[in-house]
Amino acid sequence: MNLGYSLRTRLRDDTRLAHERVDAAYRFCDIAAPWGLSLFLSDHLQAFASLSIADGPRRLRAEALRTEYCAALQADLAALGCAARHPRKLLQVTPIPVLYILLGSRRGAQMMQR
């Protein structure tokens, strides 16, 4: 059995409902329009900024990526003339899930760009 394939399948299956809820939440958000893009980017910034990364393997890489993403989102929102919202509360997470989220977000952006 291909372990990489089975892990990918397991992650996809286990997160399918959460992904469907996110898709439904943004179904009517037109990211081609400034208001829709601002909402989309602001929500991402609020989510990424709310992550407090615990000590563990790859913590520095996860923190560097989180900082990079937040800075880019703040710059994009400023260019759109929108104020950034601050997270309501922090969520303590381990580094590996943060990397999974951020790198998955990067991959999704690359796919959307095509």
Side-chain angles (χ1 to χ4, degrees), residues 77-112:
L77 287 167
L80 291 166
C82 297
R85 295 179 292 155
H86 295 286
R88 293 183 205 113
K89 64 179 181 175
L90 292 180
L91 175 65
Q92 179 95 17
V93 293
T94 57
I96 299 302
V98 173
L99 289 170
Y100 175 78
I101 291 166
L102 295 176
L103 294 173
S105 176
R106 177 175 285 172
R107 181 67 178 139
Q110 289 170 342
M111 291 176 68
M112 287 176 60

PDB file of all heavy atoms in Angstrom, residues 77-112:
ATOM      1  N   LEU A  77      -4.737  44.138   1.759  1.00  0.00           N
ATOM      2  CA  LEU A  77      -5.896  44.856   2.294  1.00  0.00           C
ATOM      3  C   LEU A  77      -5.667  46.367   2.278  1.00  0.00           C
ATOM      4  O   LEU A  77      -6.582  47.135   1.954  1.00  0.00           O
ATOM      5  CB  LEU A  77      -6.222  44.363   3.706  1.00  0.00           C
ATOM      6  CG  LEU A  77      -6.855  42.976   3.765  1.00  0.00           C
ATOM      7  CD1 LEU A  77      -6.844  42.433   5.184  1.00  0.00           C
ATOM      8  CD2 LEU A  77      -8.279  43.020   3.211  1.00  0.00           C
ATOM      9  N   ALA A  78      -4.451  46.794   2.601  1.00  0.00           N
ATOM     10  CA  ALA A  78      -4.134  48.221   2.559  1.00  0.00           C
ATOM     11  C   ALA A  78      -4.267  48.759   1.138  1.00  0.00           C
ATOM     12  O   ALA A  78      -4.795  49.858   0.925  1.00  0.00           O
ATOM     13  CB  ALA A  78      -2.724  48.468   3.107  1.00  0.00           C
ATOM     14  N   ALA A  79      -3.816  47.975   0.159  1.00  0.00           N
ATOM     15  CA  ALA A  79      -3.924  48.389  -1.247  1.00  0.00           C
ATOM     16  C   ALA A  79      -5.388  48.507  -1.673  1.00  0.00           C
ATOM     17  O   ALA A  79      -5.717  49.317  -2.539  1.00  0.00           O
ATOM     18  CB  ALA A  79      -3.187  47.399  -2.143  1.00  0.00           C
ATOM     19  N   LEU A  80      -6.257  47.731  -1.050  1.00  0.00           N
ATOM     20  CA  LEU A  80      -7.689  47.793  -1.342  1.00  0.00           C
ATOM     21  C   LEU A  80      -8.397  48.848  -0.489  1.00  0.00           C
ATOM     22  O   LEU A  80      -9.603  49.051  -0.619  1.00  0.00           O
ATOM     23  CB  LEU A  80      -8.339  46.423  -1.099  1.00  0.00           C
ATOM     24  CG  LEU A  80      -7.955  45.330  -2.083  1.00  0.00           C
ATOM     25  CD1 LEU A  80      -8.386  43.964  -1.557  1.00  0.00           C
ATOM     26  CD2 LEU A  80      -8.580  45.608  -3.447  1.00  0.00           C
ATOM     27  N   GLY A  81      -7.637  49.510   0.397  1.00  0.00           N
ATOM     28  CA  GLY A  81      -8.210  50.540   1.259  1.00  0.00           C
ATOM     29  C   GLY A  81      -9.038  49.987   2.399  1.00  0.00           C
ATOM     30  O   GLY A  81      -9.952  50.642   2.892  1.00  0.00           O
ATOM     31  N   CYS A  82      -8.717  48.790   2.853  1.00  0.00           N
ATOM     32  CA  CYS A  82      -9.470  48.137   3.928  1.00  0.00           C
ATOM     33  C   CYS A  82      -8.612  47.985   5.170  1.00  0.00           C
ATOM     34  O   CYS A  82      -7.436  47.668   5.083  1.00  0.00           O
ATOM     35  CB  CYS A  82      -9.940  46.753   3.482  1.00  0.00           C
ATOM     36  SG  CYS A  82     -11.064  46.818   2.104  1.00  0.00           S
ATOM     37  N   ALA A  83      -9.237  48.196   6.305  1.00  0.00           N
ATOM     38  CA  ALA A  83      -8.545  47.999   7.577  1.00  0.00           C
ATOM     39  C   ALA A  83      -8.541  46.515   7.928  1.00  0.00           C
ATOM     40  O   ALA A  83      -9.524  45.809   7.687  1.00  0.00           O
ATOM     41  CB  ALA A  83      -9.234  48.786   8.679  1.00  0.00           C
ATOM     42  N   ALA A  84      -7.450  46.067   8.490  1.00  0.00           N
ATOM     43  CA  ALA A  84      -7.339  44.672   8.915  1.00  0.00           C
ATOM     44  C   ALA A  84      -8.038  44.495  10.257  1.00  0.00           C
ATOM     45  O   ALA A  84      -7.913  45.337  11.143  1.00  0.00           O
ATOM     46  CB  ALA A  84      -5.871  44.273   9.024  1.00  0.00           C
ATOM     47  N   ARG A  85      -8.787  43.416  10.368  1.00  0.00           N
ATOM     48  CA  ARG A  85      -9.414  43.074  11.653  1.00  0.00           C
ATOM     49  C   ARG A  85      -8.433  42.246  12.472  1.00  0.00           C
ATOM     50  O   ARG A  85      -7.688  41.459  11.922  1.00  0.00           O
ATOM     51  CB  ARG A  85     -10.691  42.269  11.425  1.00  0.00           C
ATOM     52  CG  ARG A  85     -11.779  43.047  10.724  1.00  0.00           C
ATOM     53  CD  ARG A  85     -13.007  42.184  10.521  1.00  0.00           C
ATOM     54  NE  ARG A  85     -12.700  41.136   9.549  1.00  0.00           N
ATOM     55  CZ  ARG A  85     -13.338  39.976   9.482  1.00  0.00           C
ATOM     56  NH1 ARG A  85     -14.306  39.700  10.325  1.00  0.00           N
ATOM     57  NH2 ARG A  85     -13.022  39.086   8.580  1.00  0.00           N
ATOM     58  N   HIS A  86      -8.466  42.423  13.757  1.00  0.00           N
ATOM     59  CA  HIS A  86      -7.593  41.641  14.631  1.00  0.00           C
ATOM     60  C   HIS A  86      -8.336  40.395  15.096  1.00  0.00           C
ATOM     61  O   HIS A  86      -9.565  40.409  15.231  1.00  0.00           O
ATOM     62  CB  HIS A  86      -7.154  42.482  15.826  1.00  0.00           C
ATOM     63  CG  HIS A  86      -6.303  43.638  15.420  1.00  0.00           C
ATOM     64  ND1 HIS A  86      -5.001  43.493  15.024  1.00  0.00           N
ATOM     65  CD2 HIS A  86      -6.584  44.955  15.307  1.00  0.00           C
ATOM     66  CE1 HIS A  86      -4.497  44.664  14.699  1.00  0.00           C
ATOM     67  NE2 HIS A  86      -5.445  45.574  14.850  1.00  0.00           N
ATOM     68  N   PRO A  87      -7.597  39.321  15.343  1.00  0.00           N
ATOM     69  CA  PRO A  87      -8.255  38.076  15.776  1.00  0.00           C
ATOM     70  C   PRO A  87      -8.964  38.266  17.114  1.00  0.00           C
ATOM     71  O   PRO A  87      -8.518  39.039  17.955  1.00  0.00           O
ATOM     72  CB  PRO A  87      -7.109  37.076  15.892  1.00  0.00           C
ATOM     73  CG  PRO A  87      -5.876  37.889  15.988  1.00  0.00           C
ATOM     74  CD  PRO A  87      -6.155  39.186  15.285  1.00  0.00           C
ATOM     75  N   ARG A  88     -10.059  37.570  17.271  1.00  0.00           N
ATOM     76  CA  ARG A  88     -10.824  37.656  18.517  1.00  0.00           C
ATOM     77  C   ARG A  88     -10.121  36.950  19.661  1.00  0.00           C
ATOM     78  O   ARG A  88     -10.144  37.384  20.786  1.00  0.00           O
ATOM     79  CB  ARG A  88     -12.209  37.049  18.302  1.00  0.00           C
ATOM     80  CG  ARG A  88     -13.046  37.869  17.360  1.00  0.00           C
ATOM     81  CD  ARG A  88     -14.445  37.267  17.222  1.00  0.00           C
ATOM     82  NE  ARG A  88     -14.962  37.703  15.933  1.00  0.00           N
ATOM     83  CZ  ARG A  88     -15.196  36.890  14.921  1.00  0.00           C
ATOM     84  NH1 ARG A  88     -15.020  35.607  15.055  1.00  0.00           N
ATOM     85  NH2 ARG A  88     -15.641  37.356  13.785  1.00  0.00           N
ATOM     86  N   LYS A  89      -9.501  35.813  19.358  1.00  0.00           N
ATOM     87  CA  LYS A  89      -8.770  35.067  20.381  1.00  0.00           C
ATOM     88  C   LYS A  89      -7.694  34.245  19.691  1.00  0.00           C
ATOM     89  O   LYS A  89      -7.766  33.968  18.499  1.00  0.00           O
ATOM     90  CB  LYS A  89      -9.699  34.177  21.196  1.00  0.00           C
ATOM     91  CG  LYS A  89     -10.372  33.079  20.384  1.00  0.00           C
ATOM     92  CD  LYS A  89     -11.253  32.220  21.270  1.00  0.00           C
ATOM     93  CE  LYS A  89     -11.882  31.113  20.444  1.00  0.00           C
ATOM     94  NZ  LYS A  89     -12.655  30.193  21.246  1.00  0.00           N
ATOM     95  N   LEU A  90      -6.703  33.865  20.454  1.00  0.00           N
ATOM     96  CA  LEU A  90      -5.622  33.049  19.911  1.00  0.00           C
ATOM     97  C   LEU A  90      -5.952  31.572  20.075  1.00  0.00           C
ATOM     98  O   LEU A  90      -6.575  31.164  21.052  1.00  0.00           O
ATOM     99  CB  LEU A  90      -4.305  33.363  20.618  1.00  0.00           C
ATOM    100  CG  LEU A  90      -3.735  34.747  20.362  1.00  0.00           C
ATOM    101  CD1 LEU A  90      -2.428  34.923  21.125  1.00  0.00           C
ATOM    102  CD2 LEU A  90      -3.502  34.998  18.883  1.00  0.00           C
ATOM    103  N   LEU A  91      -5.505  30.807  19.126  1.00  0.00           N
ATOM    104  CA  LEU A  91      -5.693  29.360  19.138  1.00  0.00           C
ATOM    105  C   LEU A  91      -4.315  28.715  19.160  1.00  0.00           C
ATOM    106  O   LEU A  91      -3.542  28.890  18.216  1.00  0.00           O
ATOM    107  CB  LEU A  91      -6.474  28.919  17.900  1.00  0.00           C
ATOM    108  CG  LEU A  91      -6.648  27.413  17.700  1.00  0.00           C
ATOM    109  CD1 LEU A  91      -7.503  26.824  18.822  1.00  0.00           C
ATOM    110  CD2 LEU A  91      -7.280  27.147  16.351  1.00  0.00           C
ATOM    111  N   GLN A  92      -3.984  28.036  20.239  1.00  0.00           N
ATOM    112  CA  GLN A  92      -2.684  27.368  20.365  1.00  0.00           C
ATOM    113  C   GLN A  92      -2.696  26.101  19.521  1.00  0.00           C
ATOM    114  O   GLN A  92      -3.579  25.251  19.673  1.00  0.00           O
ATOM    115  CB  GLN A  92      -2.406  27.011  21.826  1.00  0.00           C
ATOM    116  CG  GLN A  92      -1.106  26.301  22.057  1.00  0.00           C
ATOM    117  CD  GLN A  92       0.016  27.235  22.447  1.00  0.00           C
ATOM    118  OE1 GLN A  92      -0.215  28.350  22.842  1.00  0.00           O
ATOM    119  NE2 GLN A  92       1.230  26.778  22.344  1.00  0.00           N
ATOM    120  N   VAL A  93      -1.741  26.017  18.606  1.00  0.00           N
ATOM    121  CA  VAL A  93      -1.647  24.866  17.710  1.00  0.00           C
ATOM    122  C   VAL A  93      -0.193  24.432  17.597  1.00  0.00           C
ATOM    123  O   VAL A  93       0.721  25.202  17.852  1.00  0.00           O
ATOM    124  CB  VAL A  93      -2.206  25.189  16.305  1.00  0.00           C
ATOM    125  CG1 VAL A  93      -3.702  25.417  16.349  1.00  0.00           C
ATOM    126  CG2 VAL A  93      -1.524  26.393  15.720  1.00  0.00           C
ATOM    127  N   THR A  94       0.004  23.193  17.187  1.00  0.00           N
ATOM    128  CA  THR A  94       1.357  22.686  16.974  1.00  0.00           C
ATOM    129  C   THR A  94       1.814  23.064  15.559  1.00  0.00           C
ATOM    130  O   THR A  94       0.992  23.361  14.691  1.00  0.00           O
ATOM    131  CB  THR A  94       1.414  21.166  17.184  1.00  0.00           C
ATOM    132  OG1 THR A  94       0.488  20.548  16.302  1.00  0.00           O
ATOM    133  CG2 THR A  94       1.088  20.798  18.633  1.00  0.00           C
ATOM    134  N   PRO A  95       3.106  23.074  15.295  1.00  0.00           N
ATOM    135  CA  PRO A  95       3.622  23.550  14.011  1.00  0.00           C
ATOM    136  C   PRO A  95       3.163  22.776  12.781  1.00  0.00           C
ATOM    137  O   PRO A  95       2.894  23.382  11.735  1.00  0.00           O
ATOM    138  CB  PRO A  95       5.141  23.436  14.181  1.00  0.00           C
ATOM    139  CG  PRO A  95       5.382  23.473  15.638  1.00  0.00           C
ATOM    140  CD  PRO A  95       4.192  22.809  16.261  1.00  0.00           C
ATOM    141  N   ILE A  96       3.070  21.474  12.851  1.00  0.00           N
ATOM    142  CA  ILE A  96       2.771  20.679  11.654  1.00  0.00           C
ATOM    143  C   ILE A  96       1.403  21.031  11.051  1.00  0.00           C
ATOM    144  O   ILE A  96       1.308  21.239   9.834  1.00  0.00           O
ATOM    145  CB  ILE A  96       2.920  19.166  11.933  1.00  0.00           C
ATOM    146  CG1 ILE A  96       4.363  18.836  12.364  1.00  0.00           C
ATOM    147  CG2 ILE A  96       2.491  18.338  10.736  1.00  0.00           C
ATOM    148  CD1 ILE A  96       5.444  19.219  11.357  1.00  0.00           C
ATOM    149  N   PRO A  97       0.335  21.126  11.850  1.00  0.00           N
ATOM    150  CA  PRO A  97      -0.940  21.538  11.250  1.00  0.00           C
ATOM    151  C   PRO A  97      -0.884  22.951  10.647  1.00  0.00           C
ATOM    152  O   PRO A  97      -1.531  23.219   9.636  1.00  0.00           O
ATOM    153  CB  PRO A  97      -1.937  21.477  12.408  1.00  0.00           C
ATOM    154  CG  PRO A  97      -1.326  20.545  13.388  1.00  0.00           C
ATOM    155  CD  PRO A  97       0.156  20.709  13.240  1.00  0.00           C
ATOM    156  N   VAL A  98      -0.114  23.844  11.255  1.00  0.00           N
ATOM    157  CA  VAL A  98       0.035  25.195  10.704  1.00  0.00           C
ATOM    158  C   VAL A  98       0.681  25.119   9.324  1.00  0.00           C
ATOM    159  O   VAL A  98       0.221  25.762   8.372  1.00  0.00           O
ATOM    160  CB  VAL A  98       0.858  26.101  11.648  1.00  0.00           C
ATOM    161  CG1 VAL A  98       1.159  27.442  10.994  1.00  0.00           C
ATOM    162  CG2 VAL A  98       0.128  26.298  12.961  1.00  0.00           C
ATOM    163  N   LEU A  99       1.721  24.330   9.213  1.00  0.00           N
ATOM    164  CA  LEU A  99       2.370  24.155   7.910  1.00  0.00           C
ATOM    165  C   LEU A  99       1.408  23.545   6.901  1.00  0.00           C
ATOM    166  O   LEU A  99       1.366  23.953   5.734  1.00  0.00           O
ATOM    167  CB  LEU A  99       3.633  23.309   8.042  1.00  0.00           C
ATOM    168  CG  LEU A  99       4.795  23.990   8.754  1.00  0.00           C
ATOM    169  CD1 LEU A  99       5.901  22.993   9.050  1.00  0.00           C
ATOM    170  CD2 LEU A  99       5.315  25.159   7.929  1.00  0.00           C
ATOM    171  N   TYR A 100       0.622  22.592   7.336  1.00  0.00           N
ATOM    172  CA  TYR A 100      -0.360  21.961   6.451  1.00  0.00           C
ATOM    173  C   TYR A 100      -1.354  23.007   5.930  1.00  0.00           C
ATOM    174  O   TYR A 100      -1.654  23.071   4.737  1.00  0.00           O
ATOM    175  CB  TYR A 100      -1.100  20.844   7.203  1.00  0.00           C
ATOM    176  CG  TYR A 100      -2.218  20.225   6.415  1.00  0.00           C
ATOM    177  CD1 TYR A 100      -1.950  19.297   5.414  1.00  0.00           C
ATOM    178  CD2 TYR A 100      -3.542  20.570   6.649  1.00  0.00           C
ATOM    179  CE1 TYR A 100      -2.972  18.718   4.674  1.00  0.00           C
ATOM    180  CE2 TYR A 100      -4.565  20.001   5.915  1.00  0.00           C
ATOM    181  CZ  TYR A 100      -4.273  19.082   4.933  1.00  0.00           C
ATOM    182  OH  TYR A 100      -5.295  18.527   4.204  1.00  0.00           O
ATOM    183  N   ILE A 101      -1.842  23.862   6.823  1.00  0.00           N
ATOM    184  CA  ILE A 101      -2.811  24.896   6.444  1.00  0.00           C
ATOM    185  C   ILE A 101      -2.174  25.917   5.506  1.00  0.00           C
ATOM    186  O   ILE A 101      -2.720  26.244   4.451  1.00  0.00           O
ATOM    187  CB  ILE A 101      -3.373  25.589   7.696  1.00  0.00           C
ATOM    188  CG1 ILE A 101      -4.250  24.624   8.481  1.00  0.00           C
ATOM    189  CG2 ILE A 101      -4.144  26.853   7.322  1.00  0.00           C
ATOM    190  CD1 ILE A 101      -4.576  25.103   9.889  1.00  0.00           C
ATOM    191  N   LEU A 102      -1.007  26.439   5.898  1.00  0.00           N
ATOM    192  CA  LEU A 102      -0.381  27.501   5.111  1.00  0.00           C
ATOM    193  C   LEU A 102       0.117  27.002   3.758  1.00  0.00           C
ATOM    194  O   LEU A 102      -0.086  27.663   2.738  1.00  0.00           O
ATOM    195  CB  LEU A 102       0.751  28.144   5.898  1.00  0.00           C
ATOM    196  CG  LEU A 102       0.316  28.899   7.163  1.00  0.00           C
ATOM    197  CD1 LEU A 102       1.528  29.406   7.922  1.00  0.00           C
ATOM    198  CD2 LEU A 102      -0.629  30.035   6.829  1.00  0.00           C
ATOM    199  N   LEU A 103       0.746  25.857   3.746  1.00  0.00           N
ATOM    200  CA  LEU A 103       1.224  25.321   2.469  1.00  0.00           C
ATOM    201  C   LEU A 103       0.052  24.878   1.593  1.00  0.00           C
ATOM    202  O   LEU A 103       0.104  25.011   0.369  1.00  0.00           O
ATOM    203  CB  LEU A 103       2.229  24.191   2.699  1.00  0.00           C
ATOM    204  CG  LEU A 103       3.539  24.649   3.370  1.00  0.00           C
ATOM    205  CD1 LEU A 103       4.405  23.451   3.729  1.00  0.00           C
ATOM    206  CD2 LEU A 103       4.289  25.636   2.498  1.00  0.00           C
ATOM    207  N   GLY A 104      -1.011  24.390   2.220  1.00  0.00           N
ATOM    208  CA  GLY A 104      -2.215  24.049   1.466  1.00  0.00           C
ATOM    209  C   GLY A 104      -2.860  25.292   0.876  1.00  0.00           C
ATOM    210  O   GLY A 104      -3.342  25.278  -0.262  1.00  0.00           O
ATOM    211  N   SER A 105      -2.836  26.377   1.627  1.00  0.00           N
ATOM    212  CA  SER A 105      -3.358  27.647   1.131  1.00  0.00           C
ATOM    213  C   SER A 105      -2.538  28.131  -0.060  1.00  0.00           C
ATOM    214  O   SER A 105      -3.088  28.596  -1.068  1.00  0.00           O
ATOM    215  CB  SER A 105      -3.329  28.692   2.247  1.00  0.00           C
ATOM    216  OG  SER A 105      -3.733  29.939   1.760  1.00  0.00           O
ATOM    217  N   ARG A 106      -1.230  27.993   0.045  1.00  0.00           N
ATOM    218  CA  ARG A 106      -0.353  28.377  -1.064  1.00  0.00           C
ATOM    219  C   ARG A 106      -0.672  27.540  -2.302  1.00  0.00           C
ATOM    220  O   ARG A 106      -0.760  28.059  -3.410  1.00  0.00           O
ATOM    221  CB  ARG A 106       1.109  28.204  -0.660  1.00  0.00           C
ATOM    222  CG  ARG A 106       2.076  28.528  -1.795  1.00  0.00           C
ATOM    223  CD  ARG A 106       3.499  28.452  -1.328  1.00  0.00           C
ATOM    224  NE  ARG A 106       3.772  29.642  -0.535  1.00  0.00           N
ATOM    225  CZ  ARG A 106       4.881  29.828   0.165  1.00  0.00           C
ATOM    226  NH1 ARG A 106       5.811  28.897   0.185  1.00  0.00           N
ATOM    227  NH2 ARG A 106       5.061  30.925   0.850  1.00  0.00           N
ATOM    228  N   ARG A 107      -0.869  26.252  -2.107  1.00  0.00           N
ATOM    229  CA  ARG A 107      -1.173  25.363  -3.234  1.00  0.00           C
ATOM    230  C   ARG A 107      -2.516  25.732  -3.860  1.00  0.00           C
ATOM    231  O   ARG A 107      -2.675  25.765  -5.074  1.00  0.00           O
ATOM    232  CB  ARG A 107      -1.182  23.906  -2.755  1.00  0.00           C
ATOM    233  CG  ARG A 107      -1.462  22.914  -3.834  1.00  0.00           C
ATOM    234  CD  ARG A 107      -0.327  22.868  -4.832  1.00  0.00           C
ATOM    235  NE  ARG A 107      -0.624  21.870  -5.835  1.00  0.00           N
ATOM    236  CZ  ARG A 107      -0.394  22.022  -7.109  1.00  0.00           C
ATOM    237  NH1 ARG A 107       0.193  23.101  -7.557  1.00  0.00           N
ATOM    238  NH2 ARG A 107      -0.696  21.075  -7.954  1.00  0.00           N
ATOM    239  N   GLY A 108      -3.488  26.041  -3.012  1.00  0.00           N
ATOM    240  CA  GLY A 108      -4.790  26.457  -3.519  1.00  0.00           C
ATOM    241  C   GLY A 108      -4.715  27.732  -4.324  1.00  0.00           C
ATOM    242  O   GLY A 108      -5.357  27.866  -5.374  1.00  0.00           O
ATOM    243  N   ALA A 109      -3.903  28.680  -3.859  1.00  0.00           N
ATOM    244  CA  ALA A 109      -3.726  29.944  -4.595  1.00  0.00           C
ATOM    245  C   ALA A 109      -3.069  29.681  -5.947  1.00  0.00           C
ATOM    246  O   ALA A 109      -3.437  30.299  -6.955  1.00  0.00           O
ATOM    247  CB  ALA A 109      -2.907  30.921  -3.774  1.00  0.00           C
ATOM    248  N   GLN A 110      -2.122  28.774  -5.982  1.00  0.00           N
ATOM    249  CA  GLN A 110      -1.460  28.442  -7.253  1.00  0.00           C
ATOM    250  C   GLN A 110      -2.455  27.818  -8.232  1.00  0.00           C
ATOM    251  O   GLN A 110      -2.430  28.128  -9.420  1.00  0.00           O
ATOM    252  CB  GLN A 110      -0.294  27.479  -7.001  1.00  0.00           C
ATOM    253  CG  GLN A 110       0.890  28.115  -6.304  1.00  0.00           C
ATOM    254  CD  GLN A 110       1.926  27.091  -5.848  1.00  0.00           C
ATOM    255  OE1 GLN A 110       1.642  25.899  -5.753  1.00  0.00           O
ATOM    256  NE2 GLN A 110       3.108  27.573  -5.533  1.00  0.00           N
ATOM    257  N   MET A 111      -3.327  26.971  -7.725  1.00  0.00           N
ATOM    258  CA  MET A 111      -4.323  26.329  -8.584  1.00  0.00           C
ATOM    259  C   MET A 111      -5.331  27.355  -9.097  1.00  0.00           C
ATOM    260  O   MET A 111      -5.723  27.308 -10.264  1.00  0.00           O
ATOM    261  CB  MET A 111      -5.029  25.200  -7.827  1.00  0.00           C
ATOM    262  CG  MET A 111      -4.104  24.026  -7.553  1.00  0.00           C
ATOM    263  SD  MET A 111      -4.880  22.744  -6.572  1.00  0.00           S
ATOM    264  CE  MET A 111      -6.104  22.122  -7.708  1.00  0.00           C
ATOM    265  N   MET A 112      -5.741  28.298  -8.237  1.00  0.00           N
ATOM    266  CA  MET A 112      -6.688  29.326  -8.653  1.00  0.00           C
ATOM    267  C   MET A 112      -6.072  30.263  -9.683  1.00  0.00           C
ATOM    268  O   MET A 112      -6.760  30.760 -10.562  1.00  0.00           O
ATOM    269  CB  MET A 112      -7.175  30.129  -7.449  1.00  0.00           C
ATOM    270  CG  MET A 112      -8.130  29.351  -6.563  1.00  0.00           C
ATOM    271  SD  MET A 112      -8.627  30.258  -5.087  1.00  0.00           S
ATOM    272  CE  MET A 112      -9.393  31.702  -5.812  1.00  0.00           C
TER     273      MET A 112
END
